[in-house]
Amino acid sequence: MSAVRVIAGYALQEAVRRRVFSVVLWLTTLFMALYGLALWQVFKRVADIHPPNGIEPRPFAGATVFGLSMFATMFLGVVLGVFLTLGVVGGDAERGLLQPLLVRPVSRTQLLLGRLVAAVAVCTVYVACVYTILLLMTGLIGGWWPDRIALPAVELAAGVATVAALSLLGSVFLSATANGIAVFIVFGAGLVAGLLGSIGEALGSGTLKTAAHVASWALPFEALYQDGLAKITEHTAGFASFILKLGPFGGAHAAGPLLGVWIAGYVLVVSALALAGFTRRDL
Amino acid sequence: MGLRTLAGMPPALSVQALEKRYDGVQALAGVDLVVEEGELVGLLGPNGAGKSTLVKIACGLVRPTSGAVEICGAPPTSADARRALGYLAELFRFPGWYSADELLSLHQRLAGSDGDRAERAELLRLVGLDEAADRSIDTMSKGMQQRLGIAQALIGSPRLLLLDEPTSALDPAGRRTVRTLLEELRGRGVAVMLNSHLLSEVELVCDRVAIISRGKFVAEGSPEELSHARGVEIETGSGMHSFPDAEREDAPRLVADLVARGESVYEVRILRTSLEESYLEVVEDTQE
């Protein structure tokens, strides 16, 4: 485990020295300022919002803007996670950075694990902090609090960790640039599938709903996001629930207790594939 | 089970019937090599001959198609082999945001070295970078980075050092520093395999030279063994006399003949091919 710790520390040091964190911090601050402005405007005029019958304007506005902020949190977390992992194998090997590390008593498993641990730790802390700040802003400015507080944050962090694991897998087979493009395309595909699900829900199309459901489990960061969205209005029932669950970038869908098991298995399989590919790769 | 020396210790590097094929290209075609403790072996060959592939397989960075490699009796991907190994790649790069001291510290932790600050200071001194310990790698010249690479390879007191073109970016003074360092390491019993195109360097420092061409060893021996007689030149009062077919043993007779003819002999030169000439002859033969 000592080598894993050293590699994880190296990855974190790299992120700090290459100013990845400062760039993300500036972008996050900018986003939060814009989110605060949006909150202030929305809730200043909340009385002018007329949602469908049976829904209070404040929960409607709160769930919608907070659902959007959850998407932004996940997106920013994914940007961070991908930049921490996209060049771990292919990129670093091409630049000659990887070989000096791997001739030490460090196995390829330890190297991958160290890099994944560092990325997941950073992204989890990041998502937790951003989510908490946005939650407080929404509650304090808008006077609306989600039904479930902690679990949606855990699911967003798990979604980001899943994308980081996919990015690590891609880095074994692709150059850094190709991997970055591929991971963002996969991430975008998940979101598009979520949108299709929302459209299917609104139109009552079983085919679209099934396609979206399959896609959200094949790319489970989307299922996690949808489940997180469902949890913020978990105690709302009836037609109001239906309207709120149409949510942004993929409707809210409670995934059920199997999602956690699925995610754990998914990340394990992705990591095992990455290791198998890395073990066979000549450097 | 790997080869054993008479003393029962496994050699620093043992390569047996090693083959490597990349997508239909035969990079190594059955290579055997043993490097003993304290031996300095030069690995020579034209571009694409398989030198770097051999070194990378020995480091565990590339998987062989067939054959066996052992570092001090252990497979190259094992922790024991890696603890015994120091390596500098031909195309290496270190994180530019590290200082020289931080880089060595990282490698100390990875290698499990307990040398601490004293080891880092000593290694930087050995490669002439003691004044640059806190300097960031980004601001170093290629030559300084290469010397830092050698210091990095020496972390943890390796028993085998694999150096792939370690002096390519160095000026003459830097090369001399490295040469002195290699001689010192040999004195400490460290085995070194030096992959280089600088034949004069190899000739000066290596105990043994192995020439590889098209994935096979085509010649092996000490620099003296690889060279051959190229004639005798004798300077006399009437000018230079050349005997291109003569060897060292012929010199006394040739001098006696000249003296008998009334010549005054001032200098006798026994000519042998340089390593470069021997190398070119061997390689050109195999390339035809």
mmCIF file of all heavy atoms in Angstrom, chain A residues 138-178:
data_model
loop_
_atom_site.group_PDB
_atom_site.id
_atom_site.type_symbol
_atom_site.label_atom_id
_atom_site.label_comp_id
_atom_site.label_asym_id
_atom_site.label_seq_id
_atom_site.Cartn_x
_atom_site.Cartn_y
_atom_site.Cartn_z
ATOM 1 N N THR A 138 -28.988 27.767 -1.921
ATOM 2 C CA THR A 138 -30.392 27.571 -2.325
ATOM 3 C C THR A 138 -31.303 27.701 -1.108
ATOM 4 O O THR A 138 -32.356 28.358 -1.160
ATOM 5 C CB THR A 138 -30.576 26.173 -2.973
ATOM 6 O OG1 THR A 138 -29.540 25.976 -3.926
ATOM 7 C CG2 THR A 138 -31.925 26.054 -3.646
ATOM 8 N N GLY A 139 -30.892 27.081 -0.001
ATOM 9 C CA GLY A 139 -31.719 27.127 1.206
ATOM 10 C C GLY A 139 -31.792 28.522 1.793
ATOM 11 O O GLY A 139 -32.872 28.996 2.167
ATOM 12 N N LEU A 140 -30.652 29.196 1.872
ATOM 13 C CA LEU A 140 -30.620 30.500 2.533
ATOM 14 C C LEU A 140 -31.210 31.600 1.654
ATOM 15 O O LEU A 140 -31.902 32.495 2.141
ATOM 16 C CB LEU A 140 -29.181 30.838 2.933
ATOM 17 C CG LEU A 140 -28.569 29.871 3.972
ATOM 18 C CD1 LEU A 140 -27.103 30.179 4.222
ATOM 19 C CD2 LEU A 140 -29.357 29.901 5.279
ATOM 20 N N ILE A 141 -30.946 31.544 0.346
ATOM 21 C CA ILE A 141 -31.483 32.595 -0.542
ATOM 22 C C ILE A 141 -32.923 32.279 -0.930
ATOM 23 O O ILE A 141 -33.786 33.151 -0.927
ATOM 24 C CB ILE A 141 -30.600 32.758 -1.804
ATOM 25 C CG1 ILE A 141 -29.194 33.197 -1.412
ATOM 26 C CG2 ILE A 141 -31.217 33.751 -2.786
ATOM 27 C CD1 ILE A 141 -28.190 33.212 -2.556
ATOM 28 N N GLY A 142 -33.179 30.998 -1.264
ATOM 29 C CA GLY A 142 -34.497 30.651 -1.804
ATOM 30 C C GLY A 142 -35.473 30.102 -0.790
ATOM 31 O O GLY A 142 -36.659 29.969 -1.063
ATOM 32 N N GLY A 143 -34.953 29.734 0.389
ATOM 33 C CA GLY A 143 -35.847 29.186 1.397
ATOM 34 C C GLY A 143 -36.387 27.811 1.009
ATOM 35 O O GLY A 143 -37.443 27.391 1.467
ATOM 36 N N TRP A 144 -35.671 27.089 0.189
ATOM 37 C CA TRP A 144 -36.105 25.734 -0.184
ATOM 38 C C TRP A 144 -34.975 24.749 0.094
ATOM 39 O O TRP A 144 -33.814 25.015 -0.220
ATOM 40 C CB TRP A 144 -36.467 25.678 -1.671
ATOM 41 C CG TRP A 144 -36.859 24.279 -2.103
ATOM 42 C CD1 TRP A 144 -38.089 23.712 -1.993
ATOM 43 C CD2 TRP A 144 -36.004 23.280 -2.680
ATOM 44 N NE1 TRP A 144 -38.067 22.421 -2.458
ATOM 45 C CE2 TRP A 144 -36.793 22.126 -2.893
ATOM 46 C CE3 TRP A 144 -34.663 23.243 -3.030
ATOM 47 C CZ2 TRP A 144 -36.284 20.961 -3.443
ATOM 48 C CZ3 TRP A 144 -34.154 22.071 -3.580
ATOM 49 C CH2 TRP A 144 -34.960 20.939 -3.789
ATOM 50 N N TRP A 145 -35.297 23.613 0.677
ATOM 51 C CA TRP A 145 -34.303 22.586 0.993
ATOM 52 C C TRP A 145 -34.753 21.282 0.354
ATOM 53 O O TRP A 145 -35.949 20.959 0.382
ATOM 54 C CB TRP A 145 -34.175 22.391 2.508
ATOM 55 C CG TRP A 145 -33.730 23.634 3.209
ATOM 56 C CD1 TRP A 145 -34.539 24.600 3.730
ATOM 57 C CD2 TRP A 145 -32.383 24.076 3.422
ATOM 58 N NE1 TRP A 145 -33.795 25.626 4.268
ATOM 59 C CE2 TRP A 145 -32.453 25.327 4.098
ATOM 60 C CE3 TRP A 145 -31.129 23.548 3.116
ATOM 61 C CZ2 TRP A 145 -31.319 26.040 4.462
ATOM 62 C CZ3 TRP A 145 -30.003 24.263 3.491
ATOM 63 C CH2 TRP A 145 -30.102 25.499 4.151
ATOM 64 N N PRO A 146 -33.822 20.517 -0.207
ATOM 65 C CA PRO A 146 -34.221 19.236 -0.810
ATOM 66 C C PRO A 146 -34.694 18.241 0.252
ATOM 67 O O PRO A 146 -34.345 18.364 1.424
ATOM 68 C CB PRO A 146 -32.939 18.741 -1.488
ATOM 69 C CG PRO A 146 -31.828 19.503 -0.880
ATOM 70 C CD PRO A 146 -32.378 20.784 -0.372
ATOM 71 N N ASP A 147 -35.464 17.242 -0.195
ATOM 72 C CA ASP A 147 -35.988 16.249 0.746
ATOM 73 C C ASP A 147 -34.860 15.403 1.341
ATOM 74 O O ASP A 147 -34.886 15.052 2.508
ATOM 75 C CB ASP A 147 -36.995 15.336 0.025
ATOM 76 C CG ASP A 147 -38.247 16.108 -0.373
ATOM 77 O OD1 ASP A 147 -38.480 17.191 0.210
ATOM 78 O OD2 ASP A 147 -38.963 15.654 -1.281
ATOM 79 N N ARG A 148 -33.911 15.034 0.513
ATOM 80 C CA ARG A 148 -32.749 14.278 1.012
ATOM 81 C C ARG A 148 -31.513 15.142 0.816
ATOM 82 O O ARG A 148 -31.313 15.708 -0.257
ATOM 83 C CB ARG A 148 -32.582 12.962 0.254
ATOM 84 C CG ARG A 148 -33.744 11.981 0.433
ATOM 85 C CD ARG A 148 -33.731 11.332 1.809
ATOM 86 N NE ARG A 148 -32.614 10.443 1.994
ATOM 87 C CZ ARG A 148 -32.643 9.123 1.706
ATOM 88 N NH1 ARG A 148 -33.739 8.585 1.217
ATOM 89 N NH2 ARG A 148 -31.580 8.377 1.906
ATOM 90 N N ILE A 149 -30.701 15.256 1.842
ATOM 91 C CA ILE A 149 -29.554 16.176 1.791
ATOM 92 C C ILE A 149 -28.270 15.467 1.326
ATOM 93 O O ILE A 149 -27.629 15.885 0.351
ATOM 94 C CB ILE A 149 -29.294 16.808 3.189
ATOM 95 C CG1 ILE A 149 -30.538 17.575 3.669
ATOM 96 C CG2 ILE A 149 -28.067 17.706 3.157
ATOM 97 C CD1 ILE A 149 -30.801 18.875 2.971
ATOM 98 N N ALA A 150 -27.877 14.405 2.009
ATOM 99 C CA ALA A 150 -26.537 13.832 1.811
ATOM 100 C C ALA A 150 -26.454 12.871 0.620
ATOM 101 O O ALA A 150 -25.472 12.900 -0.139
ATOM 102 C CB ALA A 150 -26.095 13.108 3.081
ATOM 103 N N LEU A 151 -27.488 12.042 0.456
ATOM 104 C CA LEU A 151 -27.381 10.975 -0.542
ATOM 105 C C LEU A 151 -27.171 11.485 -1.982
ATOM 106 O O LEU A 151 -26.360 10.911 -2.729
ATOM 107 C CB LEU A 151 -28.605 10.055 -0.461
ATOM 108 C CG LEU A 151 -28.349 8.634 -0.941
ATOM 109 C CD1 LEU A 151 -27.153 7.999 -0.262
ATOM 110 C CD2 LEU A 151 -29.583 7.764 -0.740
ATOM 111 N N PRO A 152 -27.879 12.561 -2.390
ATOM 112 C CA PRO A 152 -27.612 13.058 -3.754
ATOM 113 C C PRO A 152 -26.143 13.448 -3.958
ATOM 114 O O PRO A 152 -25.578 13.212 -5.026
ATOM 115 C CB PRO A 152 -28.525 14.275 -3.872
ATOM 116 C CG PRO A 152 -29.630 14.009 -2.907
ATOM 117 C CD PRO A 152 -29.001 13.285 -1.759
ATOM 118 N N ALA A 153 -25.531 14.004 -2.903
ATOM 119 C CA ALA A 153 -24.102 14.383 -3.021
ATOM 120 C C ALA A 153 -23.235 13.138 -3.188
ATOM 121 O O ALA A 153 -22.311 13.110 -4.012
ATOM 122 C CB ALA A 153 -23.669 15.158 -1.784
ATOM 123 N N VAL A 154 -23.560 12.097 -2.425
ATOM 124 C CA VAL A 154 -22.803 10.842 -2.524
ATOM 125 C C VAL A 154 -22.937 10.287 -3.940
ATOM 126 O O VAL A 154 -21.966 9.819 -4.545
ATOM 127 C CB VAL A 154 -23.318 9.821 -1.479
ATOM 128 C CG1 VAL A 154 -22.680 8.452 -1.703
ATOM 129 C CG2 VAL A 154 -23.043 10.319 -0.074
ATOM 130 N N GLU A 155 -24.140 10.371 -4.489
ATOM 131 C CA GLU A 155 -24.367 9.816 -5.829
ATOM 132 C C GLU A 155 -23.648 10.643 -6.905
ATOM 133 O O GLU A 155 -23.103 10.075 -7.859
ATOM 134 C CB GLU A 155 -25.866 9.733 -6.107
ATOM 135 C CG GLU A 155 -26.505 8.657 -5.231
ATOM 136 C CD GLU A 155 -27.975 8.425 -5.520
ATOM 137 O OE1 GLU A 155 -28.709 9.419 -5.674
ATOM 138 O OE2 GLU A 155 -28.379 7.272 -5.592
ATOM 139 N N LEU A 156 -23.644 11.950 -6.721
ATOM 140 C CA LEU A 156 -22.895 12.777 -7.692
ATOM 141 C C LEU A 156 -21.404 12.424 -7.644
ATOM 142 O O LEU A 156 -20.748 12.288 -8.685
ATOM 143 C CB LEU A 156 -23.080 14.257 -7.379
ATOM 144 C CG LEU A 156 -24.444 14.879 -7.702
ATOM 145 C CD1 LEU A 156 -24.418 16.382 -7.410
ATOM 146 C CD2 LEU A 156 -24.826 14.652 -9.153
ATOM 147 N N ALA A 157 -20.875 12.287 -6.423
ATOM 148 C CA ALA A 157 -19.447 11.952 -6.275
ATOM 149 C C ALA A 157 -19.167 10.576 -6.894
ATOM 150 O O ALA A 157 -18.143 10.394 -7.569
ATOM 151 C CB ALA A 157 -19.050 11.968 -4.798
ATOM 152 N N ALA A 158 -20.088 9.631 -6.678
ATOM 153 C CA ALA A 158 -19.899 8.297 -7.259
ATOM 154 C C ALA A 158 -19.958 8.363 -8.782
ATOM 155 O O ALA A 158 -19.209 7.660 -9.481
ATOM 156 C CB ALA A 158 -20.966 7.342 -6.729
ATOM 157 N N GLY A 159 -20.831 9.226 -9.310
ATOM 158 C CA GLY A 159 -20.917 9.403 -10.767
ATOM 159 C C GLY A 159 -19.603 9.932 -11.333
ATOM 160 O O GLY A 159 -19.096 9.445 -12.350
ATOM 161 N N VAL A 160 -19.040 10.928 -10.641
ATOM 162 C CA VAL A 160 -17.767 11.505 -11.094
ATOM 163 C C VAL A 160 -16.653 10.451 -11.003
ATOM 164 O O VAL A 160 -15.823 10.326 -11.915
ATOM 165 C CB VAL A 160 -17.419 12.760 -10.256
ATOM 166 C CG1 VAL A 160 -16.016 13.242 -10.576
ATOM 167 C CG2 VAL A 160 -18.429 13.862 -10.518
ATOM 168 N N ALA A 161 -16.664 9.660 -9.924
ATOM 169 C CA ALA A 161 -15.648 8.610 -9.767
ATOM 170 C C ALA A 161 -15.762 7.583 -10.897
ATOM 171 O O ALA A 161 -14.745 7.087 -11.401
ATOM 172 C CB ALA A 161 -15.822 7.923 -8.415
ATOM 173 N N THR A 162 -16.992 7.292 -11.308
ATOM 174 C CA THR A 162 -17.197 6.334 -12.405
ATOM 175 C C THR A 162 -16.598 6.873 -13.703
ATOM 176 O O THR A 162 -15.933 6.146 -14.447
ATOM 177 C CB THR A 162 -18.708 6.072 -12.597
ATOM 178 O OG1 THR A 162 -19.272 5.730 -11.333
ATOM 179 C CG2 THR A 162 -18.965 4.953 -13.582
ATOM 180 N N VAL A 163 -16.819 8.162 -13.954
ATOM 181 C CA VAL A 163 -16.244 8.757 -15.174
ATOM 182 C C VAL A 163 -14.712 8.761 -15.083
ATOM 183 O O VAL A 163 -14.021 8.488 -16.076
ATOM 184 C CB VAL A 163 -16.787 10.181 -15.409
ATOM 185 C CG1 VAL A 163 -16.155 10.796 -16.646
ATOM 186 C CG2 VAL A 163 -18.299 10.162 -15.549
ATOM 187 N N ALA A 164 -14.182 9.034 -13.882
ATOM 188 C CA ALA A 164 -12.716 9.020 -13.707
ATOM 189 C C ALA A 164 -12.165 7.621 -14.003
ATOM 190 O O ALA A 164 -11.108 7.479 -14.633
ATOM 191 C CB ALA A 164 -12.345 9.454 -12.297
ATOM 192 N N ALA A 165 -12.886 6.585 -13.556
ATOM 193 C CA ALA A 165 -12.437 5.203 -13.822
ATOM 194 C C ALA A 165 -12.474 4.913 -15.329
ATOM 195 O O ALA A 165 -11.558 4.281 -15.868
ATOM 196 C CB ALA A 165 -13.317 4.210 -13.062
ATOM 197 N N LEU A 166 -13.526 5.402 -16.006
ATOM 198 C CA LEU A 166 -13.602 5.215 -17.467
ATOM 199 C C LEU A 166 -12.451 5.942 -18.166
ATOM 200 O O LEU A 166 -11.870 5.449 -19.132
ATOM 201 C CB LEU A 166 -14.945 5.738 -17.989
ATOM 202 C CG LEU A 166 -16.171 4.859 -17.725
ATOM 203 C CD1 LEU A 166 -17.462 5.604 -18.070
ATOM 204 C CD2 LEU A 166 -16.091 3.558 -18.530
ATOM 205 N N SER A 167 -12.129 7.129 -17.659
ATOM 206 C CA SER A 167 -11.031 7.908 -18.245
ATOM 207 C C SER A 167 -9.693 7.187 -18.051
ATOM 208 O O SER A 167 -8.837 7.175 -18.942
ATOM 209 C CB SER A 167 -11.020 9.294 -17.598
ATOM 210 O OG SER A 167 -9.881 9.995 -17.965
ATOM 211 N N LEU A 168 -9.540 6.580 -16.882
ATOM 212 C CA LEU A 168 -8.321 5.807 -16.614
ATOM 213 C C LEU A 168 -8.222 4.614 -17.580
ATOM 214 O O LEU A 168 -7.156 4.320 -18.115
ATOM 215 C CB LEU A 168 -8.366 5.304 -15.168
ATOM 216 C CG LEU A 168 -7.044 4.939 -14.526
ATOM 217 C CD1 LEU A 168 -6.159 6.154 -14.362
ATOM 218 C CD2 LEU A 168 -7.287 4.300 -13.167
ATOM 219 N N LEU A 169 -9.357 3.963 -17.798
ATOM 220 C CA LEU A 169 -9.388 2.839 -18.749
ATOM 221 C C LEU A 169 -9.004 3.333 -20.153
ATOM 222 O O LEU A 169 -8.184 2.716 -20.837
ATOM 223 C CB LEU A 169 -10.791 2.217 -18.772
ATOM 224 C CG LEU A 169 -11.073 1.185 -19.868
ATOM 225 C CD1 LEU A 169 -10.204 -0.051 -19.705
ATOM 226 C CD2 LEU A 169 -12.547 0.763 -19.862
ATOM 227 N N GLY A 170 -9.588 4.457 -20.559
ATOM 228 C CA GLY A 170 -9.272 5.009 -21.882
ATOM 229 C C GLY A 170 -7.803 5.350 -22.012
ATOM 230 O O GLY A 170 -7.203 5.184 -23.083
ATOM 231 N N SER A 171 -7.196 5.807 -20.903
ATOM 232 C CA SER A 171 -5.784 6.231 -20.975
ATOM 233 C C SER A 171 -4.857 5.050 -21.281
ATOM 234 O O SER A 171 -3.736 5.248 -21.737
ATOM 235 C CB SER A 171 -5.362 6.900 -19.672
ATOM 236 O OG SER A 171 -4.985 5.943 -18.707
ATOM 237 N N VAL A 172 -5.318 3.829 -21.002
ATOM 238 C CA VAL A 172 -4.486 2.658 -21.273
ATOM 239 C C VAL A 172 -4.378 2.411 -22.782
ATOM 240 O O VAL A 172 -3.353 1.959 -23.278
ATOM 241 C CB VAL A 172 -5.070 1.407 -20.569
ATOM 242 C CG1 VAL A 172 -4.319 0.144 -20.979
ATOM 243 C CG2 VAL A 172 -5.030 1.586 -19.071
ATOM 244 N N PHE A 173 -5.440 2.752 -23.506
ATOM 245 C CA PHE A 173 -5.487 2.415 -24.935
ATOM 246 C C PHE A 173 -5.329 3.624 -25.856
ATOM 247 O O PHE A 173 -5.059 3.455 -27.040
ATOM 248 C CB PHE A 173 -6.815 1.706 -25.245
ATOM 249 C CG PHE A 173 -7.007 0.448 -24.446
ATOM 250 C CD1 PHE A 173 -7.806 0.432 -23.319
ATOM 251 C CD2 PHE A 173 -6.343 -0.720 -24.797
ATOM 252 C CE1 PHE A 173 -7.972 -0.723 -22.566
ATOM 253 C CE2 PHE A 173 -6.494 -1.879 -24.047
ATOM 254 C CZ PHE A 173 -7.309 -1.882 -22.926
ATOM 255 N N LEU A 174 -5.537 4.832 -25.328
ATOM 256 C CA LEU A 174 -5.560 6.015 -26.203
ATOM 257 C C LEU A 174 -4.544 7.054 -25.748
ATOM 258 O O LEU A 174 -4.146 7.089 -24.575
ATOM 259 C CB LEU A 174 -6.960 6.655 -26.171
ATOM 260 C CG LEU A 174 -8.134 5.776 -26.601
ATOM 261 C CD1 LEU A 174 -9.456 6.461 -26.280
ATOM 262 C CD2 LEU A 174 -8.048 5.491 -28.090
ATOM 263 N N SER A 175 -4.192 7.927 -26.685
ATOM 264 C CA SER A 175 -3.352 9.068 -26.306
ATOM 265 C C SER A 175 -4.206 10.005 -25.456
ATOM 266 O O SER A 175 -5.437 9.898 -25.428
ATOM 267 C CB SER A 175 -2.862 9.786 -27.552
ATOM 268 O OG SER A 175 -3.964 10.424 -28.175
ATOM 269 N N ALA A 176 -3.540 10.947 -24.768
ATOM 270 C CA ALA A 176 -4.266 11.817 -23.843
ATOM 271 C C ALA A 176 -5.372 12.604 -24.557
ATOM 272 O O ALA A 176 -6.513 12.684 -24.074
ATOM 273 C CB ALA A 176 -3.284 12.763 -23.161
ATOM 274 N N THR A 177 -5.053 13.171 -25.718
ATOM 275 C CA THR A 177 -6.047 13.982 -26.431
ATOM 276 C C THR A 177 -7.229 13.126 -26.874
ATOM 277 O O THR A 177 -8.396 13.491 -26.637
ATOM 278 C CB THR A 177 -5.403 14.643 -27.670
ATOM 279 O OG1 THR A 177 -4.213 15.304 -27.247
ATOM 280 C CG2 THR A 177 -6.334 15.635 -28.314
ATOM 281 N N ALA A 178 -6.923 11.975 -27.485
ATOM 282 C CA ALA A 178 -8.000 11.098 -27.970
ATOM 283 C C ALA A 178 -8.859 10.623 -26.802
ATOM 284 O O ALA A 178 -10.092 10.556 -26.902
ATOM 285 C CB ALA A 178 -7.402 9.904 -28.707
#
